[in-house]
Amino acid sequence: MAKLFDLSFSSFVTPSVVKVLYVVSIVLVVIGWLGYSIAAFRLNAFVGLLVLVIVGPLFALFWLILLRVTLELYIAVIRIAEDVRTLTRK
């Protein structure tokens, strides 16, 4: 919590919250997939089954991969910044 209110930005909050963000993202992707499946079932049973079994998992997998890569990019940039800070202090 103290990192959130660090006005000098001497510490990074992203490594602390990235796990929570990823779990929340997974939950939101699954809720979106289920909502999209329900909407497809209202349209047609075949379309609903198609979305539930084939299209939905592909889109969910795509979004989870995209989210994971993005979060890993943020973490990599922060680790680089921390390493540079350590090297410049010596």
Side-chain angles (χ1 to χ4, degrees), residues 21-78:
L21 287 174
Y22 190 58
V23 170
V24 168
S25 299
I26 290 171
V27 169
L28 290 175
V29 165
V30 169
I31 288 172
W33 172 21
L34 293 176
Y36 188 61
S37 297
I38 290 169
F41 271 112
R42 288 184 179 175
L43 180 66
N44 185 339
F46 176 73
V47 174
L49 193 59
L50 186 68
V51 168
L52 184 65
V53 176
I54 297 174
V55 177
L58 290 176
F59 277 113
L61 182 64
F62 169 77
W63 281 109
L64 289 177
I65 290 171
L66 184 66
L67 288 165
R68 178 68 187 223
V69 168
T70 303
L71 291 173
E72 286 179 3
L73 175 68
Y74 293 150
I75 293 296
V77 169
I78 289 170

Side-chain angles (χ1 to χ4, degrees), residues 2-12 85 89:
K3 290 180 182 180
L4 266 173
F5 300 105
D6 178 20
L7 298 178
S8 65
F9 289 91
S10 59
S11 60
F12 296 105
R85 183 185 299 164
R89 286 185 182 169

